[in-house]
Amino acid sequence: MKTRVGAITDDEARFVEVYGRFARPIEAYCARRTPASQVADAVSDIFVVAWRRIDQIPAGDEALPWLYGVAYRVLSHQWRHNARSRKLIERLRGLAEVEDCAPEVLLVRNEEHRVVLAASARLKPVDQEILRLTLWEELSHADVAVVLGIEPTAVKQRAYRARLNLADEYRRLTGERQPPAARKGGGS
Amino acid sequence: MITDDQVVALFAKANPVPSLDLIDPIEPVSPGHLEDPSERSREMTDLKTVESKDASRRRRSWLVPAFAGIAIVVGLAVVPAWDRGPASPQDVADAYMEARQDLDTEAITGLFAPDATVREDDFDLSEMPALIEFWRATGWDWTPTGCTEISSGPAYNAFTCGYEFENDWTRALDHPPVTGGITLFIGGDEISQITSLTSNIDRTQLNDVWRAVIAWMTANHPDDTRTMYTDDMSRPELHPAAIALWERYTDEYVAEIEG
């Protein structure tokens, strides 16, 4: 619709409102998952997609999970691109490892946090994302379902398993045994 | 030995950006210049168009500041007095939030252009004076937390303005202040469009409070509920008789809650 109010089209007004309300949570989402040097480009890409699909953005607060869904896809593409680039660089330079400059590596000072993030990195990517969305973005299972494009019941089941697996991987990394009662308190 | 729940809590605390306060203020955009809207993708998963064009992405990375810069230069050259006069768009945005904090009807309505519109709300701009009376009757406090420019151009500037909100009901129920924001479009030195008069309150934060108040009103003053709010209970009525009841019964409600 191209109704003009003064010099503002409905689409522009809607975009500006969405950008104003949600740019910072989206930037935080990106900063939690990608190197600082790539955050601005990622945010720009996400809002370009939002502009292109402005008439599909849900009203009100429901726009945020929708935008997270776009962000998830944009960053997934970026990760695949980075992985390909890394392999190419390794081949060219003959390096065994390329420095990981992910924000968690740069920012996390606490050894326990480093280990728990390493443990999470051993989970399936979608399970990692479910943990991040529920525990860092504090989304409900229904909103996580919107982000990932899967059923809420599947999110609930995966979230439960992801929590158990995270704890298992953490204990594996730290050499701890699973306490007898640990499962009882896990992954509600 | 560490339990599953303790590991999960550890992961939650390992959040690299635990607060939005760690994120820089957003930069203004000019959405009209991003691209031709007719080229928009229709599919949720169609990112190829966006991501395969490296040259396009490079353009985009400087597109926003470039157009913001052009807009400012053009604005300085072409647009008349408003950006050189005493009331800059930023001043107008700040003035609106201050006037609303003061519940100053005259100041608020004086900031709007004659043809100004409200984009998304149950309330019309003509209801603003009555809405302010309702806010006064029920002890609403809007505390501004600052206006940030989010779009800059020759035709208008847009701002997002944050606030913390509480009223007699939230205070009686010991509910924490609700945070939210609104978007203002300012052309010249007037507000030409506003997203909402009640300010995009995150309604999920207030639903419990509203439900508690409505339940109390229905239980204690069933004969007056039709006067006080709409049949679907989604919004208050704003005529003088309704506002008088809201004021009286809010005082009763607070007194009873606070014992």
Side-chain angles (χ1 to χ4, degrees):
Chain A
M1 197 163 70
K2 290 286 161 287
T3 309
R4 277 193 172 264
V5 178
I8 313 165
T9 66
D10 281 354
D11 286 350
E12 285 178 15
R14 175 86 177 111
F15 178 82
V16 167
E17 184 202 347
V18 167
Y19 180 80
R21 286 188 71 190
F22 301 120
R24 295 180 85 221
I26 290 298
E27 189 174 343
Y29 175 97
C30 295
R32 288 169 185 139
R33 290 161 176 81
T34 199
S37 61
Q38 295 176 18
V39 169
D41 273 355
V43 173
S44 174
D45 284 352
I46 290 159
F47 279 98
V48 166
V49 175
W51 171 240
R52 289 181 166 194
R53 299 206 306 261
I54 190 73
D55 50 358
Q56 297 170 38
I57 300 178
D61 295 337
E62 289 176 19
L64 186 56
W66 186 92
L67 286 168
Y68 282 144
V70 174
Y72 174 65
R73 286 162 183 81
V74 166
L75 291 190
S76 296
H77 177 88
Q78 201 178 73
W79 290 329
R80 285 194 294 274
H81 174 78
N82 288 349
R84 282 197 297 274
S85 302
R86 199 156 43 225
K87 281 179 187 167
L88 182 64
I89 292 167
E90 284 173 16
R91 219 176 298 143
L92 288 172
R93 294 185 180 173
L95 296 174
E97 288 183 10
V98 174
E99 185 185 358
D100 187 353
C101 57
E104 51 267 37
V105 176
L106 297 174
L107 294 173
V108 171
R109 299 285 178 261
N110 186 303
E111 174 64 8
E112 282 182 323
H113 290 181
R114 191 190 66 75
V115 175
V116 79
L117 289 171
S120 74
R122 294 177 168 210
L123 306 182
K124 290 178 183 172
V126 69
D127 291 343
Q128 293 178 37
E129 185 63 5
I130 286 172
L131 286 176
R132 288 188 290 253
L133 288 167
T134 53
L135 297 168
W136 291 357
E137 271 78 31
E138 299 180 346
L139 297 190
S140 66
H141 289 157
D143 284 343
V144 173
V146 172
V147 176
L148 300 178
I150 58 180
E151 289 296 316
T153 48
V155 171
K156 193 175 176 184
Q157 289 166 2
R158 293 199 81 120
Y160 177 73
R161 280 203 303 272
R163 286 168 175 237
L164 298 184
N165 292 338
L166 175 70
D168 284 344
E169 293 295 347
Y170 181 87
R171 283 188 286 265
R172 197 165 292 142
L173 284 174
T174 56
E176 278 193 53
R177 282 186 189 170
Q178 180 178 306
R183 278 289 181 248
K184 215 172 180 181
S188 54
Chain B
M1 253 183 236
I2 192 161
T3 66
D4 292 0
D5 280 348
Q6 286 169 330
V7 174
V8 169
L10 204 52
F11 181 81
K13 281 186 187 167
N15 182 350
V17 187
S19 164
L20 291 186
D21 294 341
L22 300 172
I23 298 295
D24 291 335
I26 55 180
E27 291 183 19
V29 290
S30 290
H33 296 107
L34 279 172
E35 63 181 15
D36 180 352
S38 64
E39 293 177 7
R40 284 180 198 155
S41 163
R42 313 300 304 173
E43 294 176 31
M44 181 76 175
T45 53
D46 179 15
L47 296 174
K48 282 184 183 172
T49 320
V50 177
E51 292 160 356
S52 62
K53 294 180 179 173
D54 285 347
S56 164
R57 186 185 302 143
R58 279 195 297 276
R59 270 202 308 279
R60 279 199 306 276
S61 64
W62 54 263
L63 188 69
V64 168
F67 274 108
I70 291 167
I72 290 166
V73 171
V74 170
L76 284 172
V78 177
V79 177
W82 60 261
D83 60 349
R84 297 190 290 273
S88 70
Q90 179 77 53
D91 291 338
V92 174
D94 292 338
Y96 175 75
M97 297 304 284
E98 285 168 21
R100 205 174 60 157
Q101 182 181 27
D102 297 339
L103 303 182
D104 185 339
T105 308
E106 198 175 331
I108 290 175
T109 51
L111 289 167
F112 284 90
D115 58 349
T117 54
V118 183
R119 270 177 57 73
E120 297 174 5
D121 212 338
D122 295 336
F123 299 100
D124 186 79
L125 206 52
S126 64
E127 294 178 286
M128 193 68 176
L131 193 56
I132 291 170
E133 285 309 308
F134 172 75
W135 292 346
R136 187 175 285 117
T138 49
W140 288 42
D141 280 331
W142 303 100
T143 305
T145 55
C147 293
T148 306
E149 188 172 33
I150 52 174
S151 181
S152 170
Y156 66 86
N157 297 59
F159 293 81
T160 182
C161 297
Y163 61 85
E164 285 189 352
F165 156 82
E166 55 184 0
N167 66 8
D168 286 344
W169 312 330
T170 63
R171 284 186 287 266
L173 293 168
D174 221 11
H175 192 282
V178 174
T179 57
I182 52 171
T183 307
L184 299 172
F185 295 84
I186 297 168
D189 57 0
E190 294 176 315
I191 298 169
S192 53
Q193 193 174 100
I194 186 170
T195 47
S196 165
L197 297 182
T198 51
S199 306
N200 288 350
I201 290 171
D202 180 351
R203 294 178 200 281
T204 56
Q205 294 183 60
L206 266 187
N207 276 347
D208 290 346
V209 174
W210 178 247
R211 271 198 292 266
V213 171
I214 292 294
W216 186 91
M217 297 293 173
T218 305
N220 290 276
H221 301 286
D223 296 340
D224 290 325
T225 52
R226 277 185 174 274
T227 309
M228 294 174 71
Y229 43 77
T230 54
D231 288 343
D232 64 0
M233 301 182 187
S234 63
R235 55 162 277 178
E237 296 287 1
L238 296 178
H239 50 80
I243 290 173
L245 289 175
W246 276 110
E247 183 163 19
R248 189 187 336 151
Y249 295 155
T250 292
D251 289 346
E252 272 183 35
Y253 177 71
V254 170
E256 185 172 309
I257 297 289
E258 292 180 347

